[in-house]
Amino acid sequence: MSDQVRIEIDGQVFEAPRGSMVMQIADQHGIYIPRFCYHDKLSIAANCRMCLVEVEKAPKPLPACATPVSDGMKVYTKSPRALAAQKATMEFLLINHPLDCPVCDQGGECELQDLALGYGRSHSRYEQRKRVVADEDIGPLVSTDMTRCIYCSRCVRFTAEVAGEPELGIVGRGEHSAVRTALESALTSEVSANVIDLCPVGALNSKPFRFRARSWDMLALPGLALHDGVGSHLHAHTLRGQVMRVVPRENEEINEIWLADRDRFSYLGLERGRQLVPLVREEGELRPAGWDEALDRAAALLAETVRAGGPESVAVLASPSSSLEEGALLSRLADRLGVPGLDHRLWRDSGQVSTFPEPSLGQSVAAFAEPQTFLMVGCYLRHEAPVLNLRVRRSVLGGGCVHALNPCAWPWNYPVRSNPALGLEGLRSALAALLVTAQKLKDGPVPEGVEIEARGSPLDGEMLERMARDLGEGPATILVGETALSHPASETIGTLARLLAEATGARLAVVAPGANARGLHRLGVLPGGDGLRPFTPWAAPVRAHLLFGVQPEYDLLHPGRALAALARGQSVHVTTHLGPQSARHATVVLPLAAGFETPGGWMNLEGRVQDAHASVPPPGEARPGWKILRDLGRLLGGDEASFPDDFAALLELRSPLPPPRSGLPSTPLSTGSVSASRPEGFVLLRTRAPHACDPLLRHAPALQETAIGRRGATIGLNPEDARRLGVSAPHPRIEIRDDGGRRTVVAEVTVDPAVPRGHLHLPVGSPALLEVGTLDGQVVHVHAVADKIEVAAP
Amino acid sequence: MNQSALPERGLSEEVRRTLERSRAHYPEGEAGRRSLLLEALRLVQEERGWLDAEALEAVAAYLELPLVDVTQVASFYSMYELHPVGRHSISVCTNLSCHLCGGEELLAALEQRLGIRCGETTADGRFTLKKEEECLAACCAAPVLMIDHQYHERVRVEDVDRILESYP
Ligand code: SF4
Ligand code: FES
Ligand code: FES
């Protein structure tokens, strides 16, 4: 039996693979069959019946989306019988659907409205009362008008199949059916808002966008998502110079048709808390200034600090989402000043030389969907790169598998083979133990120092063996993520991961935060231009800082050190949003254009350079980063060649990008003993809060109100620790004291079984946790703040 | 995201034991666990009288199924009670045959006698009148009413009091 069959659709003959559906073949050849429930990214439900077509010899019309092709089949999509069936379906659908498109937010982009135009009657024969369905609040991102629902179940299938977080269902039966969450709760997934695009009618819409504009009034401008290194494509829908909403732009190779919630709603931060004018400090106070004055002050400050204190006295720190042009200008600016202290890796904990290879995926984004073994090392991909994680989910469903080595047992949206909560120290020793196991399995030599590192590993031999075998068999990828990159022993972890990749033949992926970590690495926005130089931005001899796109109080994992340094010295803040502590310490503030407001190129983690135009002008007097850096460069004596006047010239300067560097030295592993003793008190585990990890996100209120946002504003505490401490609902709070007992802060707690005992999970980035973030040291002491009970920590 | 600790109250020992035995009759893996769902819900309902959110969560956790799937199933079948019910549940058939033979009058008489409407429970918690019962598959004996899975056939309005008396 051949794998191809010949079918005829509307008189045209096509070859089609056996097993495919009539709808798919028709789509491939541009024959349109109306549909609601069918969606090529979802399973086939065949429950709307809009796609009924006539098939020769079949007694009744058949649904094209669920009718497999067969040899010699003749299909008529527009015959009188087919049309009659489609029109009848439409009439049934409209029986209960409100006919009030003018007041519906979906009007103008509604699949039901469009098809009703083609298949509906001009007036209804149904005169009885329509049914009404009560709305449910499913969170701050998605609005509900459930009376408009046509039960296509696309949203239900999306949450179960794509998002891997089955949260929506059709509850009830017959007339009483309604799309609902299980407990009338808000959606929790990091990609939940994609149901807005999938819903063919106005039942699920964007809540922040609700009633703000009409689809036909807006311009759809292509842009890029700048909150992780995936480089998802999007459209900014703008009206009179304002971004009204963001929707995905289809790109099969990157984000397909999906967007992470944070990429979709970060635009809300464009209008809130923006720095609109330049400021300079005079007699202790910040006051508004003109651009010329502020730029002069900034340039003079930097030049004078270098003159007086030498090149080591200035540090330049840039957001990892800065564009390639901004990166190129930043490194020229540092060159101009002769300053070696330049970095974009805000997550770094130590001033040690880094031997991490350039961030990359080791393969294309699309290849992540192929069946393979993934080992997540200090990586919670779900929050770090949500859309990439959807590919991993597909890989797992297709036969791949995932092991995770993380400090916390984060909940995944697919089955994982192992997911121990290792704590901070355990991550390092477990990885070393895995390397030992992998080498032993293949009788390879165990590199020096690894056995010592592996001491105290909390994992049992069986689990390690399983991991090592899965990694060794067939294709595999080891992902080194944010928690590994920001780990106090990140260099050791990086070396171990590299050795493990060599030992098992797995690919290494370094998933660094930010939209352009790979590009900035390539351009040399690194200490000394190559990163092979120790650099501690917050310690002497640094006396002045140039911060580009950074809110130091939130964007750094250890803001305490940074704020102390800023208080001691002088600083230039080129920023979209000025944080409260920065306002206290800044010497000069230059208002920066945000993403959506600036043209530029960004290199995603797979190494693809993508350009975007500005979609809207920056507000107030804010200027695009490249102009600010160009002007600063020229004021510092730079020439036209390095700091060109127009953007086109800059593009030429940026390309071609230098080739990736190779032959990095590796960090020696410890030869002494690693202390295995547990410190007294709680270990602070810092990770970036996924909905508050850059200035724009932080200022998007809807994102802060999601489950992820709220969790990111509270401390995570293991349930047993919570019980032992007497932390009690409904608003559990704890008092945290640093090791020296100098400072005490109070914070709200989420009891989270993912957090290991003896640890406090501190999401960094939310203003609510600023105080806790500034605590110094890794170990803290904790008390419950209850109405009466107060239980002391050991 | 499991942000809060799961409730530790789960299924009773007895329900667990019964389900463990039943598992053998179903295929391995998720398909089997899904098939077991109807039975699990029935057992829990028999034990607790009705299915509250906690019961649904316990069943979902035990069978490792998404809570929303359990909710969809539990809300689909009218035999599952998702709201508190009385000690005895009365279903009056008003489908075609029973309708023709006086089912509606029977229902009206019951409503009047108990002082409640369809879907409600008497104040003393003794009876619940089930909402919208469809054909009870005993058309030859219409009109039919069912109390706690016990059928009463060819019921006349004057029989109602006597029947009710036997359900304290
Ligand atoms: S809410 Fe929208 S997507 Fe979901 S079932 Fe209803 S019509 Fe379909
Ligand atoms: S599209 Fe085929 S039944 Fe809905
Ligand atoms: S109609 Fe009442 S039992 Fe069938």
Side-chain angles (χ1 to χ4, degrees):
Chain A
M1 212 161 65
S2 107
D3 285 343
Q4 295 283 318
V5 298
R6 286 166 80 82
I7 70 161
E8 192 187 300
I9 305 180
D10 292 348
Q12 302 180 56
V13 179
F14 304 114
E15 290 269 311
R18 192 179 293 282
S20 52
M21 300 295 161
V22 171
M23 177 81 96
Q24 289 158 345
I25 305 307
D27 275 356
Q28 272 162 29
H29 296 94
I31 299 173
Y32 182 73
I33 301 172
R35 84 277 315 264
F36 291 112
C37 68
Y38 176 78
H39 194 288
D40 61 3
K41 295 284 179 197
L42 302 173
S43 67
I44 291 171
N47 56 8
C48 76
R49 302 280 139 171
M50 191 61 214
C51 66
L52 290 175
V53 292
E54 183 178 352
V55 177
E56 196 182 70
K57 299 205 189 86
K60 288 191 280 188
L62 298 178
C65 69
T67 302
V69 294
S70 61
D71 213 19
M73 183 184 237
K74 286 194 175 132
V75 179
Y76 305 95
T77 70
K78 293 176 187 67
S79 67
R81 273 185 84 200
L83 284 180
Q86 292 159 7
K87 286 187 172 163
T89 302
M90 177 54 80
E91 189 168 13
F92 273 120
L93 280 173
L94 291 183
I95 280 184
N96 274 317
H97 192 87
L99 302 177
D100 58 355
C101 305
V103 301
C104 172
D105 222 17
Q106 189 87 354
E109 52 181 3
C110 173
E111 293 176 44
L112 185 65
Q113 193 181 33
D114 293 350
L115 290 184
L117 202 65
Y119 302 86
R121 302 167 66 96
S122 54
H123 41 246
S124 178
R125 290 191 290 172
Y126 182 79
E127 281 161 4
Q128 288 74 10
R129 269 169 53 178
K130 292 177 183 249
R131 63 188 282 260
V132 170
V133 181
D135 286 332
E136 189 187 345
D137 185 354
I138 56 170
L141 305 183
V142 182
S143 67
T144 54
D145 269 293
M146 295 327 286
T147 300
R148 304 187 189 280
C149 172
I150 57 168
Y151 305 93
C152 68
S153 82
R154 280 188 192 176
C155 58
V156 174
R157 282 174 284 149
F158 171 81
T159 63
E161 295 165 12
V162 179
E165 187 89 67
E167 340 190 52
L168 286 172
I170 295 183
V171 170
R173 177 170 48 157
E175 260 226 318
H176 304 289
S177 323
V179 168
R180 289 264 181 271
T181 58
L183 293 175
E184 311 226 337
S185 50
L187 299 176
T188 61
S189 157
E190 67 285 1
V191 292
S192 64
N194 287 296
V195 296
I196 298 170
D197 310 320
L198 288 173
C199 181
V201 296
L204 304 176
N205 273 330
S206 163
K207 206 179 247 185
F209 172 71
R210 196 165 162 83
F211 303 140
R212 300 243 298 143
R214 279 308 206 174
S215 55
W216 56 85
D217 287 331
M218 297 182 289
L219 296 174
L221 302 174
L224 295 169
L226 299 181
H227 307 289
D228 58 38
V230 178
S232 296
H233 286 202
L234 53 79
H235 271 127
H237 286 179
T238 70
L239 182 65
R240 291 185 283 274
Q242 217 187 346
V243 179
M244 305 306 288
R245 69 168 167 187
V246 164
V247 298
R249 176 159 57 103
E250 189 170 343
N251 183 309
E252 263 318 295
E253 289 172 359
I254 301 176
N255 53 311
E256 304 170 80
I257 55 165
W258 315 123
L259 267 190
D261 288 353
R262 64 180 179 191
D263 295 332
R264 189 185 295 262
F265 291 106
S266 65
Y267 77 90
L268 294 167
L270 290 174
E271 288 168 24
R272 287 170 181 81
R274 288 298 294 274
Q275 186 58 37
L276 298 174
V277 292
L279 305 173
V280 295
R281 190 168 296 277
E282 197 170 271
E283 290 166 10
E285 295 291 324
L286 279 180
R287 66 155 171 85
W291 265 105
D292 288 345
E293 183 190 0
L295 283 167
D296 279 339
R297 271 285 291 275
L301 186 162
L302 297 173
E304 270 160 31
T305 310
V306 172
R307 201 171 313 132
E312 308 268 349
S313 58
V314 168
V316 180
L317 282 177
S319 151
S321 299
S322 310
S323 70
L324 290 169
E325 294 73 19
E326 290 162 350
L329 289 170
L330 278 162
S331 53
R332 285 194 196 130
L333 195 72
D335 274 353
R336 192 65 233 133
L337 284 164
V339 163
L342 167 69
D343 212 342
H344 68 280
R345 298 165 302 171
L346 304 179
W347 54 86
R348 295 245 313 148
D349 186 51
S350 74
Q352 240 183 315
V353 168
S354 169
T355 53
F356 270 100
E358 176 175 303
S360 83
L361 296 180
Q363 61 211 297
S364 66
V365 167
F368 269 66
E370 285 158 18
Q372 55 172 310
T373 301
F374 295 96
L375 175 69
M376 309 279 179
V377 178
C379 179
Y380 189 30
L381 199 63
R382 237 189 123 169
H383 283 173
E384 289 170 34
V387 172
L388 183 61
N389 189 55
L390 294 183
R391 300 264 188 179
V392 173
R393 177 172 156 78
R394 270 236 293 291
S395 166
V396 172
L397 296 182
C401 73
V402 172
H403 292 279
L405 293 180
N406 274 321
C408 299
W410 301 122
W412 296 91
N413 51 348
Y414 35 76
V416 290
R417 292 231 170 128
S418 47
N419 193 30
L422 295 168
L424 212 49
E425 265 308 307
L427 169 58
R428 168 184 180 171
S429 55
L431 185 59
L434 178 56
L435 176 56
V436 173
T437 311
Q439 286 294 36
K440 288 201 172 142
L441 273 186
K442 56 175 230 186
D443 287 323
V446 178
E448 200 190 337
V450 176
E451 303 249 21
I452 299 173
E453 293 282 352
R455 264 184 223 156
S457 154
L459 299 186
D460 62 41
E462 208 174 306
M463 192 189 263
L464 288 169
E465 236 176 73
R466 181 136 191 236
M467 286 185 190
R469 278 191 206 286
D470 283 342
L471 279 175
E473 284 164 13
T477 302
I478 299 173
L479 289 96
V480 179
E482 221 173 280
T483 319
L485 293 168
S486 62
H487 196 282
S490 59
E491 298 315 319
T492 308
I493 292 177
T495 305
L496 290 171
R498 206 157 55 203
L499 291 173
L500 183 63
E502 280 161 21
T504 56
R507 290 174 284 231
L508 190 65
V510 178
V511 187
N516 200 21
R518 185 168 189 178
L520 296 174
H521 199 279
R522 184 77 65 85
L523 284 167
V525 183
L526 292 168
D530 55 9
L532 300 179
R533 187 186 170 100
F535 171 51
T536 319
W538 310 112
V542 178
R543 297 220 312 267
H545 291 87
L546 171 61
L547 301 175
F548 185 83
V550 180
Q551 282 195 296
E553 52 274 80
Y554 305 126
D555 283 330
L556 301 164
L557 280 187
H558 294 272
R561 295 170 206 169
L563 295 175
L566 291 177
R568 284 194 305 270
Q570 293 193 298
S571 51
V572 177
H573 297 241
V574 185
T575 189
T576 55
H577 301 79
L578 187 67
Q581 314 283 322
S582 305
R584 217 179 291 159
H585 305 313
T587 322
V588 182
V589 179
L590 304 173
L592 175 66
F596 298 109
E597 297 166 356
T598 184
W602 285 264
M603 188 191 255
N604 77 354
L605 284 171
E606 59 179 354
R608 192 189 293 254
V609 173
Q610 310 191 97
D611 290 303
H613 296 286
S615 300
V616 289
E621 291 180 34
R623 289 185 182 173
W626 72 272
K627 287 192 181 170
I628 299 175
L629 294 171
R630 172 200 63 191
D631 293 348
L632 272 180
R634 297 288 273 278
L635 284 172
L636 289 166
D639 57 3
E640 157 86 38
S642 318
F643 298 95
D645 274 334
D646 67 45
F647 194 71
L650 194 59
L651 275 179
E652 301 226 321
L653 279 181
R654 156 201 119 185
S655 59
L657 288 171
R661 277 160 304 127
S662 56
L664 286 172
S666 66
T667 306
L669 295 165
S670 60
T671 41
S673 70
V674 178
S675 115
S677 69
R678 275 270 289 107
E680 285 275 299
F682 282 79
V683 177
L684 267 187
L685 247 169
R686 295 169 192 252
T687 65
R688 301 185 323 147
H691 280 184
C693 60
D694 63 40
L696 210 53
L697 290 173
R698 212 165 283 136
H699 290 85
L703 287 173
Q704 307 316 313
E705 288 155 22
T706 58
I708 294 177
R710 285 201 316 270
R711 172 65 177 82
T714 57
I715 301 277
L717 183 66
N718 180 280
E720 269 192 49
D721 286 336
R723 196 167 329 143
R724 194 165 46 84
L725 290 169
V727 170
S728 58
H731 296 294
R733 290 184 310 153
I734 50 171
E735 201 176 81
I736 309 171
R737 185 160 40 82
D738 62 10
D739 207 20
R742 286 177 306 273
R743 279 183 55 216
T744 304
V745 296
V746 172
E748 201 170 316
V749 163
T750 298
V751 177
D752 186 347
V755 178
R757 290 178 59 183
H759 286 71
L760 288 186
H761 170 235
L762 166 58
V764 180
S766 160
L769 293 178
L770 172 61
E771 284 288 306
V772 193
T774 57
L775 284 180
D776 221 10
Q778 215 177 68
V779 177
V780 292
H781 302 274
V782 176
H783 295 264
V785 181
D787 291 337
K788 293 194 188 60
I789 334 156
E790 193 153 320
V791 185
Chain B
M1 289 209 310
N2 36 352
Q3 286 184 352
S4 58
L6 281 172
E8 280 177 16
R9 308 154 290 232
L11 301 181
S12 73
E13 259 315 300
E14 200 170 333
V15 170
R16 274 168 200 278
R17 258 203 310 276
T18 318
L19 286 176
E20 275 322 309
R21 273 200 303 275
S22 302
R23 250 181 213 245
H25 306 305
Y26 292 97
E28 296 262 318
E30 190 186 314
R33 285 183 276 118
R34 278 190 190 275
S35 314
L36 204 50
L37 178 54
L38 290 179
E39 181 176 348
L41 289 172
R42 180 174 59 78
L43 290 172
V44 175
Q45 173 161 311
E46 273 169 14
E47 193 177 77
R48 305 194 189 191
W50 64 288
L51 298 167
D52 57 358
E54 193 187 293
L56 298 181
E57 278 180 71
V59 171
Y62 177 77
L63 293 177
E64 298 166 59
L65 295 174
L67 178 59
V68 72
D69 288 2
V70 174
T71 314
Q72 291 185 98
V73 169
S75 64
F76 184 87
Y77 294 101
S78 59
M79 293 79 134
Y80 295 125
E81 302 290 350
L82 300 181
H83 299 284
V85 287
R87 283 199 299 288
H88 306 291
S89 153
I90 310 177
S91 307
V92 186
C93 175
T94 51
N95 214 311
L96 189 58
S97 312
C98 293
H99 181 89
L100 293 174
C101 296
E104 296 286 355
E105 290 77 18
L106 190 58
L107 178 60
L110 264 166
E111 284 186 335
Q112 217 209 339
R113 169 70 177 70
L114 297 172
I116 53 173
R117 309 280 302 272
C118 239
E120 292 176 353
T121 301
T122 52
D124 59 2
R126 187 167 157 209
F127 290 111
T128 296
L129 253 187
K130 273 216 77 139
K131 199 152 124 188
E132 273 196 79
E133 195 56 73
E134 298 306 341
C135 178
L136 288 168
C139 312
C140 57
V144 177
L145 73 80
M146 179 178 82
I147 306 186
D148 299 344
H149 300 291
Q150 203 172 16
Y151 275 57
H152 297 268
E153 303 179 338
R154 295 193 187 85
V155 184
R156 289 162 305 165
V157 169
E158 9 350 333
D159 299 336
V160 163
D161 278 351
R162 184 183 43 82
I163 294 176
L164 290 183
E165 261 164 39
S166 50
Y167 296 90

